[in-house]
Amino acid sequence: MSEELERLAKALIEFREAEGISVTELAHRTQLSQATIRLHESDHERQPTSLVARCFEEVLGWAPGSIPTASRETTDLELPPDSSAGTG
């Protein structure tokens, strides 16, 4: 279990309790899904994507880059390496 990810889970729960808000409200504030909030509050092994980490850092008031992120992410906007987009 990663200490950093355990710290994140604890911080998210403590933040919600201190603010008196639900998972639904935290999801609204971060613009993330409730499932994402629940996942990172309970799973201390899964690193968030950089987008999720930025949302958590912002709401928690943590410095950018303070949450470890998944090493490789794929987005719908990425083109395959052999793509010939823009030619022709």
Side-chain angles (χ1 to χ4, degrees):
M1 184 177 317
S2 166
E3 279 185 37
E4 294 167 323
L5 297 176
E6 186 173 351
R7 176 177 161 250
L8 171 62
K10 185 176 178 181
L12 290 171
I13 293 166
E14 288 177 353
F15 176 81
R16 285 195 306 101
E17 290 174 351
E19 293 285 314
I21 62 172
S22 64
V23 169
T24 302
E25 176 60 23
L26 182 56
H28 176 74
R29 290 187 189 187
T30 58
Q31 298 182 355
L32 299 170
S33 71
Q34 292 177 41
T36 297
I37 303 297
R38 286 188 188 104
L39 173 71
H40 292 291
E41 284 186 351
S42 64
D43 185 346
H44 306 158
E45 299 295 327
R46 186 174 307 197
Q47 292 182 321
T49 63
S50 59
L51 173 67
V52 171
R54 282 193 304 270
C55 292
F56 288 155
E57 289 163 350
E58 187 174 310
V59 78
L60 294 171
W62 291 6
S66 61
I67 297 174
T69 60
S71 60
R72 175 73 176 110
E73 299 175 29
T74 302
T75 66
D76 292 338
L77 301 177
E78 288 183 357
L79 297 174
D82 61 349
S83 174
S84 58
T87 61

